[in-house]
Amino acid sequence: MRIVFHAIFIGMLFVSHCEAAEARPNILFIMTDDHAAHAMSCYGSRVNQTPNLDRIARDGMRFDNCFVTNSICTPSRATILTGKYSHLNGVPVFNRFDGSQPHVAKYLRAAGYYTGMIGKWHLGSDPTGFDHWSILPGQGVYNNPIFLEPDGPRQIPGYATDVITDLALDFLKNRPRDKPFFLMYHHKAPHREWVPDEKHRQMFAEKQIPEPATLRDDYAGRTDALRENKQRVFDDLTRRDLKLAPPADLKGPERNRWLNEKPVEVEIDRDGTKVVLKGDELNRWKYQRYMQDYLACVQSVDDNVGRVLDYLDQNGLRDNTVVIYTSDQGFFLGDHGLFDKRFMYEPSLRMPFLVRWPGVTKPGAVQTAMAINADFAPTFMDIAGLRVPPDMQGRSLVPLLKGETPPADWRTAMYYRYYHDPGHHNTAAHYGVRTTTHKLIYYWKKDQWEMYDVEHDPDELHNLYNDPTQQQTVAKLKEEMYRLKKELKDEDQFSKELPPDGVDDPAPPLRRRAAPPVPQRSEQPRVPAKG
Ligand SMILES: [Ca+2]
């Protein structure tokens, strides 16, 4: 089967690079889970510093308008691999990816790249198209993670972000030297429930993080969707999220139930005195606890990305390796009072996207043209000198990376669709369009609409949908949304029935190459949080 695949695609896809295979650049794709652009200093973060991620931006190009097409883990990952929207790659929610379909790693491998996938995969099925893979089962855990590999599962002692980096460095050290490589190096961090390692936990434990302007958004003028959601910092963080210690006598399911409750009062120790927090004092404390741990997890990613960049520098790989940094979607850092993602609002829709391609990207370049996650696969194809398969729905970003003025027909609007309803956090299903200046959101199960002028109202506080002066804009946006929906072949394939969840099975028992059990250093979730 693979031989047939190779024969077909090598013939189809090579443009002119066969004889110059060695010169084709390596592609190092670094992706985190739920890392918002506004928690990176190169994007102007008010809450943290990320000096190593900033190195990529300083020496490469920062994309300021890169958007996800369906803001949750599994669908974004399927789109990144296939270059197709959820309704065509078959992954609208947390269902298993059908690995028999074509995707970018298969194409690159067939064209002579040595391909690797390390870290969080979260697509349910075993990876296809990779010479080497070592993945977390489902969400995986932060401490002493188990990895699934072709030979079976193995547990590796240590902190997930460090361990995944060690495995990525092993891949680089052990790769065949006669081929370019394509490595997907995917972190678990900083996903819920935000468990930092001790060093970074301490770094943030006493920090006071500035609150975002919309933390106390009252949702006035918006539809029911925001009011009904259950992903609010003040109301929906659990004791587990807040790292509260259960009473010693609680065991088994009762202990779990205690940890999963959303506390309305919390007793803390302040300078040796027990204090009970409630009301606004508790709300402020919850925001701090959330952000301290989230940012501590990010800081470990930053350190570890620095290790990998150093390795490239020290091993003659810098000049011929394209380094990409992104996250599978954005995230709410208290914006609109929320954590998590899902909604089409800016903090969740926007992905960080940095590309350093020595000799191609100008140092410190900033790109404002609109990119989407479906563009990543076509971009990798183009970087490798391959033709972009016509059924990929994204476009190669290479012309933008070269700093050229975007092609005249470059997109000025992107289409979005979120399906997971009923689902986690009671977030309502919706689709919509974002143009360079406006956004229209349609909660199709509620038949409710929102429209924002993102240029003049970047915080999206003023729903203009019913404003009589805006009806021409609303009509234009509707036209554009339905045009894109049709062009992208969204025929409501998943609007009535969603495929069953299938990516969060618990880790299988260790069968082979099992390391001896290691002591657990901190609380591990019994049921992994989704997303
Ligand atoms: Ca995610």
Side-chain angles (χ1 to χ4, degrees):
M1 187 65 190
R2 211 179 83 204
I3 292 165
V4 174
F5 182 86
H6 280 204
I8 294 169
F9 286 103
I10 287 181
M12 266 173 54
L13 297 168
F14 264 108
V15 179
S16 61
H17 291 265
C18 286
E19 70 289 349
E22 309 72 33
R24 288 180 294 168
N26 305 306
I27 302 170
L28 172 59
F29 179 72
I30 311 171
M31 182 159 74
T32 38
D33 193 345
D34 294 359
H35 187 190
H38 52 314
M40 291 167 67
S41 34
C42 54
Y43 278 99
S45 170
R46 297 165 61 239
V47 294
N48 67 336
Q49 293 293 316
T50 48
N52 288 298
L53 302 179
D54 293 1
R55 283 163 71 183
I56 307 173
R58 187 189 64 212
D59 298 335
M61 179 175 277
R62 184 188 83 201
F63 282 72
D64 279 1
N65 291 303
C66 181
F67 301 122
V68 67
T69 50
N70 179 359
S71 187
I72 39 175
C73 290
T74 303
S76 179
R77 286 152 199 269
T79 293
I80 286 168
L81 271 180
T82 59
K84 295 174 189 168
Y85 271 73
S86 306
H87 56 270
L88 293 192
N89 65 36
V91 184
V93 288
F94 297 97
N95 58 299
R96 278 170 195 259
F97 178 70
D98 172 4
S100 71
Q101 64 187 298
H103 62 71
V104 67
K106 286 188 184 177
Y107 288 125
L108 291 178
R109 189 186 194 199
Y113 270 73
Y114 183 67
T115 56
M117 166 62 227
I118 288 167
K120 184 170 171 187
W121 171 247
H122 211 207
L123 287 166
S125 50
D126 281 355
T128 54
F130 293 97
D131 293 295
H132 176 96
W133 53 271
S134 186
I135 59 167
L136 298 171
Q139 295 284 356
V141 294
Y142 274 105
N143 287 301
N144 308 314
I146 290 172
F147 289 83
L148 306 182
E149 297 178 341
D151 295 338
R154 67 166 164 155
Q155 187 170 28
I156 305 181
Y159 182 64
T161 307
D162 299 331
V163 174
I164 290 167
T165 304
D166 292 343
L167 294 176
L169 290 171
D170 286 346
F171 172 92
L172 296 176
K173 287 170 193 162
N174 299 325
R175 74 191 198 282
R177 296 302 198 263
D178 58 344
K179 288 178 169 195
F181 67 81
F182 170 61
L183 174 60
M184 302 187 94
Y185 156 45
H186 291 188
H187 284 292
K188 167 180 174 58
H191 192 279
R192 193 182 186 186
E193 69 292 6
W194 318 295
V195 179
D197 64 355
E198 190 52 24
K199 173 183 156 192
H200 296 97
R201 191 193 67 76
Q202 283 184 19
M203 194 185 283
F204 284 86
E206 301 300 325
K207 283 217 166 114
Q208 282 295 304
I209 314 298
E211 293 181 355
T214 60
L215 181 62
R216 290 172 179 78
D217 187 354
D218 62 4
Y219 306 148
R222 264 60 61 78
T223 63
D224 294 336
L226 260 177
R227 282 185 285 276
E228 290 170 1
N229 84 85
K230 294 193 187 307
Q231 52 185 85
R232 294 191 205 165
V233 173
F234 294 165
D235 302 321
D236 298 308
L237 290 174
T238 64
R239 291 195 178 108
R240 190 192 303 275
D241 294 328
L242 297 163
K243 316 298 182 318
L244 295 169
D249 55 340
L250 280 188
K251 303 271 183 263
E254 279 189 26
R255 185 173 180 277
N256 234 357
R257 202 174 308 125
W258 190 93
L259 283 167
N260 290 335
E261 273 171 18
K262 302 169 176 179
V264 292
E265 278 188 12
V266 166
E267 186 183 81
I268 61 158
D269 185 289
R270 190 182 281 159
D271 305 325
T273 312
K274 300 268 185 233
V275 183
V276 176
L277 303 178
K278 46 190 159 182
D280 193 52
E281 197 180 16
L282 178 62
N283 288 343
R284 280 186 274 124
W285 180 86
K286 283 182 179 175
Y287 170 76
Q288 293 299 328
R289 285 302 299 114
Y290 161 46
M291 287 299 289
Q292 285 160 349
D293 285 348
Y294 178 91
L295 295 174
C297 290
V298 168
Q299 215 60 41
S300 173
V301 168
D302 188 73
D303 286 1
N304 276 287
V305 169
R307 287 171 65 204
V308 174
L309 296 178
D310 289 347
Y311 181 87
L312 299 180
D313 289 352
Q314 290 156 9
N315 290 275
L317 287 167
R318 181 195 167 95
D319 289 346
N320 200 29
T321 300
V322 183
V323 177
I324 296 122
Y325 182 83
T326 191
S327 165
D328 57 350
Q329 4 73 205
F331 212 64
F332 293 104
L333 305 179
D335 317 281
H336 301 289
L338 307 177
F339 64 92
D340 216 77
K341 51 267 180 177
R342 300 163 197 275
F343 281 110
M344 198 187 161
Y345 303 122
E346 296 289 276
S348 154
L349 183 69
R350 176 169 286 114
M351 308 169 83
F353 193 67
L354 308 173
V355 183
R356 182 183 84 181
W357 186 356
V360 175
T361 49
K362 267 214 308 242
V366 174
Q367 181 56 261
T368 56
M370 202 181 278
I372 57 174
N373 59 343
D375 296 337
F376 299 178
T379 303
F380 304 154
M381 299 292 291
D382 201 2
I383 289 172
L386 303 173
R387 284 198 188 91
V388 178
D391 62 342
M392 284 189 179
Q393 297 181 297
R395 282 181 76 162
S396 167
L397 300 170
V398 168
L400 305 184
L401 294 171
K402 289 179 176 166
E404 293 165 5
T405 312
D409 63 344
W410 195 259
R411 75 170 68 82
T412 54
M414 62 82 60
Y415 177 72
Y416 179 87
R417 187 158 189 167
Y418 171 79
Y419 296 86
H420 203 223
D421 171 10
H424 316 121
H425 301 296
N426 204 35
T427 307
H430 53 292
Y431 55 81
V433 65
R434 190 204 189 279
T435 68
T436 51
T437 56
H438 288 80
K439 184 184 293 177
L440 181 73
I441 305 175
Y442 180 45
Y443 294 96
W444 83 81
K445 292 187 174 182
K446 297 175 171 297
D447 195 22
Q448 294 185 3
W449 296 81
E450 293 176 8
M451 195 276 271
Y452 300 98
D453 176 343
V454 291
E455 203 178 10
H456 298 102
D457 176 27
D459 285 339
E460 300 167 291
L461 293 171
H462 306 287
N463 176 13
L464 302 175
Y465 183 77
N466 292 315
D467 184 328
T469 68
Q470 298 290 323
Q471 292 314 300
Q472 217 176 344
T473 308
V474 167
K476 267 196 213 155
L477 288 166
K478 274 191 188 173
E479 191 185 325
E480 179 65 358
M481 182 179 79
Y482 288 120
R483 185 191 70 77
L484 282 171
K485 187 169 184 282
K486 188 171 177 203
E487 181 184 288
L488 293 163
K489 303 185 175 67
D490 178 357
E491 293 156 3
D492 299 312
Q493 288 92 330
F494 294 110
S495 66
K496 293 203 169 58
E497 197 177 345
L498 293 171
D501 285 357
V503 298
D504 280 312
D505 294 342
L510 297 176
R511 293 190 304 268
R512 280 159 288 178
R513 300 198 300 157
V518 281
Q520 299 294 298
R521 287 200 310 223
S522 77
E523 196 60 46
Q524 300 289 352
R526 290 283 184 281
V527 180
K530 306 269 176 129

